[in-house]
Amino acid sequence: MLGSLAVAFARSAGWRAVLIPSLIAMILLTQSRTGWLALATVGLWWVLARRLSTPVVAVLGTLAFVAVSRLSAEQFDLPIFQGREGSDALRERLLVLETAKIAVDPLLGGGAGTATVRIGEGTMFFPSSYLAVRQEGGWVTLIVLLATVVATLLLATRVTGRRNPLAEAALPAVMVIAINLGEVWLELPTAIALGMLIWHWRSARDPAP
C-alpha cells in the first residue's frame, strides 16, 4: 500500500517512471497470491476511479472484495502457485482453531495480544488480520475500524479537482492484504495510508495561502 502512496505523491514523472516498474517487479517476485491480488486491486481502482462515479466504484469494489475474500487457495491453480499444499493445509487447520477462539467472546474479543493459537508445540499468529482484530477487539472494534477506513476513502474521493486515485487505492489494497497476510490493520503502514489520505483531503479543502 505504501508503494501506491509513493507513486501517487512522487514529485516528478521521473521518480514515477522509476518507482512503478520497480514496485511491480518486487511484488511479482514475492510470488504471493494475496500480494498479486492487492497489486491488481490498485490497478483496477486507478483505472475505474478515473472513469466512474464514487458510488459505482464503491459498489463494484464491495462486490470484488467479497469475491476475493471467498476465493480458496485451491482456485489459484497456476503452475507458479503449485506445491503449496502444506501451507494451505496449515492455514485451514489454523482457521478452525481461530474460529473456535473467536467464538468465546465475539462481541468484545479477548483483548490485545490474544490473536494467537497453539498448534502442536508452537504458537501461531492469525493469518487473517480481520480475524485477528475480531479476536482482540471483537465485532465492535472491527466495525469501527472498517467504518474509519470507508469514511477516509469517501473523503479522499470527494476532493474536488485534486483527486488522486492512486493514493486512494492504498486503502482497497490494505483491505485485500489483510485477508491473508497476517497482522495488517493495526500496523504502521495502514496508519500511514489513513494519515496521508486525510492530509491530502485537508490540503485540498484548505489550501495554503
Side-chain angles (χ1 to χ4, degrees), residues 5-135:
L5 289 172
V7 175
F9 294 110
R11 292 183 176 273
S12 67
W15 271 112
R16 288 190 289 273
V18 172
L19 286 170
I20 291 174
S22 299
L23 291 168
I24 291 175
M26 286 188 287
I27 293 172
L28 294 178
L29 287 173
T30 65
Q31 296 185 13
S32 165
R33 293 167 289 194
T34 308
W36 286 21
L37 285 172
L39 178 62
T41 299
V42 170
L44 286 174
W45 185 275
W46 180 73
V47 171
L48 294 178
R50 297 161 64 91
R51 292 167 172 77
L52 301 175
S53 64
T54 298
V56 173
V57 173
V59 171
L60 292 176
T62 301
L63 294 174
F65 172 76
V66 172
V68 168
S69 64
R70 291 180 178 276
L71 288 175
S72 65
E74 290 76 10
Q75 290 173 288
F76 292 91
D77 56 357
L78 297 175
I80 196 173
F81 296 136
Q82 292 179 358
R84 303 188 182 187
E85 294 82 3
S87 61
D88 292 337
L90 174 61
R91 194 173 288 114
E92 291 176 2
R93 290 178 62 192
L94 290 173
L95 180 59
V96 173
L97 297 173
E98 293 161 7
T99 303
K101 191 169 185 177
I102 290 171
V104 174
D105 190 351
L107 184 62
L108 298 177
T114 62
T116 61
V117 291
R118 294 282 300 178
I119 184 166
E121 298 181 355
T123 300
M124 304 285 291
F125 291 99
F126 284 26
S128 169
S129 191
Y130 290 93
L131 295 182
V133 172
R134 284 183 57 194
Q135 168 56 32

Side-chain angles (χ1 to χ4, degrees), residues 45 49 54 57 152-160 163 168 201:
W45 185 275
T54 298
V57 173
T152 301
L153 189 55
L154 288 175
L155 285 177
T157 61
R158 296 179 182 277
V159 176
T160 305
R163 277 195 66 182
E168 298 165 14
W201 168 71

Side-chain angles (χ1 to χ4, degrees), residues 5 145 148-149 152-153 171 189-199:
L5 289 172
L145 177 63
T148 301
V149 170
T152 301
L153 189 55
L171 290 184
T190 300
I192 292 174
L194 289 168
M196 289 292 288
L197 285 178
I198 293 173
W199 167 79

